[in-house]
Protein backbone atom coordinates (compact mmCIF):
# COMPACT_ATOMS: atom_id res chain seq x y z
CA UNK A 1 0.00 0.00 0.00
CA UNK A 2 1.51 3.29 -1.08
CA UNK A 3 0.89 6.68 0.34
CA UNK A 4 1.06 9.91 -1.56
CA UNK A 5 2.40 12.97 0.25
CA UNK A 6 0.60 16.15 -0.62
CA UNK A 7 2.58 19.32 -0.27
CA UNK A 8 0.73 22.14 1.40
CA UNK A 9 0.61 25.31 -0.69
CA UNK A 10 3.07 28.02 0.23
CA UNK A 11 1.48 30.87 2.16
CA UNK A 12 0.73 33.88 0.03
CA UNK A 13 2.04 37.13 1.41
CA UNK A 14 -0.79 39.63 1.50
CA UNK A 15 -0.14 43.03 0.01
CA UNK A 16 -0.30 45.67 2.75
CA UNK A 17 -3.37 47.87 2.73
CA UNK A 18 -2.60 51.44 1.70
CA UNK A 19 -2.93 53.92 4.57
CA UNK A 20 -4.92 56.12 2.20
CA UNK A 21 -7.70 53.52 2.31
CA UNK A 22 -8.76 54.75 5.71
CA UNK A 23 -8.99 58.39 4.64
CA UNK A 24 -12.34 60.03 4.04
CA UNK A 25 -13.30 61.28 0.58
CA UNK A 26 -12.78 64.85 1.76
CA UNK A 27 -9.38 63.92 3.17
CA UNK A 28 -8.28 62.32 -0.10
CA UNK A 29 -9.52 65.33 -2.10
CA UNK A 30 -7.72 67.74 0.25
CA UNK A 31 -4.50 65.75 0.01
CA UNK A 32 -4.70 65.65 -3.80
CA UNK A 33 -5.35 69.40 -4.06
CA UNK A 34 -2.46 70.13 -1.70
CA UNK A 35 -0.02 67.97 -3.69
CA UNK A 36 -0.99 69.39 -7.08
CA UNK A 37 -1.13 73.02 -5.91
CA UNK A 38 2.31 72.86 -4.29
CA UNK A 39 3.94 71.47 -7.44
CA UNK A 40 2.07 73.77 -9.84
CA UNK A 41 2.73 76.97 -7.90
CA UNK A 42 6.38 76.05 -7.44
CA UNK A 43 6.75 75.40 -11.19
CA UNK A 44 5.05 78.70 -12.12
CA UNK A 45 7.39 80.62 -9.83
CA UNK A 46 10.36 78.79 -11.31
CA UNK A 47 9.41 79.12 -14.99
CA UNK A 48 8.81 82.89 -14.94
CA UNK A 49 12.15 84.56 -15.61
CA UNK A 50 14.02 81.26 -15.61
CA UNK A 51 17.70 81.64 -16.47
CA UNK A 52 17.61 85.45 -16.39
CA UNK A 53 18.92 88.02 -13.96
CA UNK A 54 16.24 88.13 -11.30
CA UNK A 55 16.28 91.85 -10.45
CA UNK A 56 16.57 92.88 -14.09
CA UNK A 57 13.65 90.65 -15.07
CA UNK A 58 11.36 92.00 -12.33
CA UNK A 59 12.30 95.54 -13.32
CA UNK A 60 11.50 95.06 -17.01
CA UNK A 61 8.54 92.68 -16.52
CA UNK A 62 6.72 93.89 -13.39
CA UNK A 63 3.46 92.01 -14.09
CA UNK A 64 5.05 88.63 -14.81
CA UNK A 65 7.62 89.15 -12.07
CA UNK A 66 4.80 89.83 -9.62
CA UNK A 67 3.00 86.65 -10.67
CA UNK A 68 6.20 84.65 -10.16
CA UNK A 69 6.81 86.04 -6.69
CA UNK A 70 3.18 85.52 -5.73
CA UNK A 71 3.26 81.90 -6.94
CA UNK A 72 6.38 81.25 -4.86
CA UNK A 73 4.74 82.78 -1.78
CA UNK A 74 1.58 80.70 -2.18
CA UNK A 75 3.60 77.53 -2.82
CA UNK A 76 5.10 77.55 0.69
CA UNK A 77 1.95 76.66 2.70
CA UNK A 78 1.03 73.99 0.16
CA UNK A 79 4.54 72.53 0.35
CA UNK A 80 4.17 72.36 4.12
CA UNK A 81 0.82 70.66 3.56
CA UNK A 82 2.47 68.15 1.22
CA UNK A 83 4.96 67.28 3.96
CA UNK A 84 1.97 66.54 6.23
CA UNK A 85 0.39 64.36 3.52
CA UNK A 86 3.61 62.35 3.16
CA UNK A 87 3.81 61.95 6.92
CA UNK A 88 0.26 60.61 7.07
CA UNK A 89 1.04 58.20 4.24
CA UNK A 90 4.24 56.86 5.73
CA UNK A 91 4.03 57.04 9.52
CA UNK A 92 2.51 53.57 9.87
CA UNK A 93 5.12 51.76 7.74
CA UNK A 94 8.17 53.81 8.73
CA UNK A 95 7.36 56.06 11.70
CA UNK A 96 10.92 57.18 12.47
CA UNK A 97 11.83 57.99 8.85
CA UNK A 98 8.48 59.68 8.27
CA UNK A 99 8.75 61.92 11.33
CA UNK A 100 12.42 62.83 10.82
CA UNK A 101 11.79 63.59 7.15
CA UNK A 102 8.73 65.71 7.99
CA UNK A 103 10.60 67.72 10.64
CA UNK A 104 13.50 68.38 8.28
CA UNK A 105 11.10 69.47 5.54
CA UNK A 106 9.34 71.86 7.92
CA UNK A 107 12.73 73.46 8.62
CA UNK A 108 13.50 73.64 4.89
CA UNK A 109 10.14 75.16 3.98
CA UNK A 110 10.45 77.66 6.83
CA UNK A 111 13.76 78.75 5.28
CA UNK A 112 11.98 78.89 1.92
CA UNK A 113 9.43 81.26 3.45
CA UNK A 114 12.31 83.46 4.59
CA UNK A 115 13.57 83.55 1.00
CA UNK A 116 10.15 84.58 -0.24
CA UNK A 117 10.14 87.44 2.26
CA UNK A 118 13.36 88.72 0.71
CA UNK A 119 11.90 88.13 -2.77
CA UNK A 120 8.89 90.27 -1.90
CA UNK A 121 11.16 93.13 -0.81
CA UNK A 122 13.27 92.61 -3.94
CA UNK A 123 10.17 92.98 -6.09
CA UNK A 124 9.39 96.28 -4.37
CA UNK A 125 12.96 97.48 -4.86
CA UNK A 126 12.84 96.46 -8.53
CA UNK A 127 9.88 98.79 -9.09
CA UNK A 128 11.71 101.76 -7.55
CA UNK A 129 14.86 103.74 -8.31
CA UNK A 130 15.41 104.77 -4.69
CA UNK A 131 17.73 101.81 -3.98
CA UNK A 132 20.46 100.63 -6.33
CA UNK A 133 19.30 97.28 -7.71
CA UNK A 134 22.74 95.73 -8.07
CA UNK A 135 23.71 96.69 -4.52
CA UNK A 136 20.50 95.28 -3.09
CA UNK A 137 20.96 92.00 -4.98
CA UNK A 138 24.55 91.68 -3.78
CA UNK A 139 23.71 92.41 -0.14
CA UNK A 140 20.57 90.24 -0.01
CA UNK A 141 22.44 87.25 -1.43
CA UNK A 142 24.79 87.26 1.56
CA UNK A 143 23.80 86.34 5.11
CA UNK A 144 26.92 86.19 7.30
CA UNK A 145 27.42 84.95 10.84
CA UNK A 146 25.23 82.68 12.90
CA UNK A 147 21.94 83.61 11.15
CA UNK A 148 23.50 82.69 7.83
CA UNK A 149 24.81 79.36 9.12
CA UNK A 150 21.44 78.43 10.64
CA UNK A 151 19.60 79.43 7.48
CA UNK A 152 21.94 77.41 5.25
CA UNK A 153 21.57 74.34 7.46
CA UNK A 154 17.78 74.63 7.49
CA UNK A 155 17.48 75.16 3.76
CA UNK A 156 20.10 72.86 2.28
CA UNK A 157 20.43 70.08 4.84
CA UNK A 158 16.75 70.16 5.77
CA UNK A 159 15.65 70.17 2.15
CA UNK A 160 18.03 67.62 0.65
CA UNK A 161 18.00 65.13 3.51
CA UNK A 162 14.35 65.72 4.40
CA UNK A 163 12.99 64.92 0.95
CA UNK A 164 15.10 61.76 0.68
CA UNK A 165 13.97 60.42 4.06
CA UNK A 166 10.35 61.38 3.43
CA UNK A 167 10.31 59.71 0.03
CA UNK A 168 11.97 56.55 1.36
CA UNK A 169 9.24 56.36 3.98
CA UNK A 170 6.50 56.94 1.38
CA UNK A 171 8.15 54.30 -0.86
CA UNK A 172 7.90 51.76 1.93
CA UNK A 173 4.27 52.66 2.63
CA UNK A 174 3.16 51.63 -0.90
CA UNK A 175 0.56 54.37 -0.71
CA UNK A 176 1.42 55.74 -4.17
CA UNK A 177 3.33 54.46 -7.24
CA UNK A 178 7.02 54.17 -6.52
CA UNK A 179 8.04 55.90 -9.75
CA UNK A 180 6.17 58.99 -8.55
CA UNK A 181 8.12 58.83 -5.28
CA UNK A 182 11.45 58.81 -7.14
CA UNK A 183 10.74 62.03 -9.09
CA UNK A 184 11.11 64.55 -6.19
CA UNK A 185 14.49 62.96 -5.39
CA UNK A 186 15.45 63.04 -9.07
CA UNK A 187 14.61 66.75 -9.05
CA UNK A 188 17.37 67.41 -6.52
CA UNK A 189 19.93 65.52 -8.59
CA UNK A 190 18.93 67.31 -11.80
CA UNK A 191 18.88 70.68 -10.01
CA UNK A 192 22.42 70.20 -8.70
CA UNK A 193 23.56 69.26 -12.20
CA UNK A 194 22.48 72.70 -13.42
CA UNK A 195 20.27 71.61 -16.31
CA UNK A 196 19.07 74.39 -18.66
CA UNK A 197 15.36 73.85 -17.94
CA UNK A 198 13.13 74.17 -14.86
CA UNK A 199 13.73 70.91 -12.98
CA UNK A 200 10.63 71.59 -10.90
CA UNK A 201 8.65 69.98 -13.72
CA UNK A 202 9.82 66.64 -12.29
CA UNK A 203 8.34 67.56 -8.92
CA UNK A 204 5.04 68.54 -10.52
CA UNK A 205 4.78 65.27 -12.45
CA UNK A 206 5.55 63.29 -9.31
CA UNK A 207 3.04 65.18 -7.17
CA UNK A 208 0.26 64.98 -9.78
CA UNK A 209 0.93 61.25 -10.08
CA UNK A 210 0.67 60.90 -6.29
CA UNK A 211 -2.54 62.94 -6.24
CA UNK A 212 -4.17 60.73 -8.88
CA UNK A 213 -3.15 57.61 -6.93
CA UNK A 214 -4.63 59.06 -3.72
CA UNK A 215 -7.94 59.82 -5.45
CA UNK A 216 -8.08 56.37 -7.04
CA UNK A 217 -7.38 54.49 -3.83
CA UNK A 218 -10.61 52.70 -2.84
CA UNK A 219 -12.03 53.43 0.56
CA UNK A 220 -12.96 50.82 3.11
CA UNK A 221 -16.20 49.07 2.34
CA UNK A 222 -18.87 49.34 4.99
CA UNK A 223 -20.72 46.12 5.70
CA UNK A 224 -24.47 46.38 5.69
CA UNK A 225 -26.10 45.84 9.08
CA UNK A 226 -29.39 43.89 8.91
CA UNK A 227 -32.32 45.76 10.33
CA UNK A 228 -34.84 43.72 12.32
CA UNK A 229 -38.40 44.83 11.71
Amino acid sequence: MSTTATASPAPVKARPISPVTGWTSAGRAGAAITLVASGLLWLVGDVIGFGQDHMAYMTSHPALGGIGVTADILAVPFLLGSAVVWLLMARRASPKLAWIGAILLVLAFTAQAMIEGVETIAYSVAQSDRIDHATFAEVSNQLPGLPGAVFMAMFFIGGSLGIVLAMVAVWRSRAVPRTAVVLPVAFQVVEMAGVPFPATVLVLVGLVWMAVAVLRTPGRSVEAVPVTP
Side-chain angles (χ1 to χ4, degrees), residues 1-5:
M1 181 177 180
S2 63
T3 58
T4 303

Side-chain angles (χ1 to χ4, degrees), residues 2-28:
S2 63
T3 58
T4 303
T6 57
S8 59
V12 178
K13 186 177 180 181
R15 182 183 179 88
I17 299 175
S18 169
V20 180
T21 301
W23 297 2
T24 64
S25 298
R28 283 197 289 271

Side-chain angles (χ1 to χ4, degrees), residues 41 44-45 63-76 116 120 123:
L41 289 167
V44 170
L64 285 176
I67 293 173
V69 173
T70 303
D72 278 334
I73 293 172
L74 293 175
V76 173
E116 300 316 321
T120 304
Y123 178 75

Side-chain angles (χ1 to χ4, degrees), residues 67-197:
I67 293 173
V69 173
T70 303
D72 278 334
I73 293 172
L74 293 175
V76 173
F78 285 103
L79 287 169
L80 285 167
S82 295
V84 174
V85 172
W86 295 329
L87 173 62
L88 294 176
M89 286 181 182
R91 62 179 178 174
R92 188 174 68 188
S94 305
K96 291 183 179 179
L97 284 178
W99 276 106
I100 295 173
I103 291 170
L104 289 173
L105 286 176
V106 168
L107 293 175
F109 294 146
T110 300
Q112 181 67 37
M114 295 168 60
I115 293 176
E116 300 316 321
V118 175
E119 287 291 299
T120 304
I121 298 174
Y123 178 75
S124 178
V125 171
Q127 309 311 311
S128 171
D129 294 329
R130 300 174 66 181
I131 299 176
D132 182 71
H133 296 178
T135 302
F136 176 84
E138 181 180 356
V139 172
S140 61
N141 286 333
Q142 300 176 5
L143 186 58
L146 181 60
V150 172
F151 169 81
M152 296 291 284
M154 289 173 60
F155 186 73
F156 289 104
I157 299 177
S160 58
L161 185 57
I163 194 65
V164 170
L165 294 180
M167 291 303 98
V168 169
V170 174
W171 172 290
R172 297 179 64 183
S173 74
R174 294 181 177 271
V176 293
R178 287 181 162 179
T179 305
V181 175
V182 172
L183 290 176
V185 180
F187 153 75
Q188 291 194 334
V189 177
V190 173
E191 184 81 357
M192 288 188 294
V195 294
F197 69 87

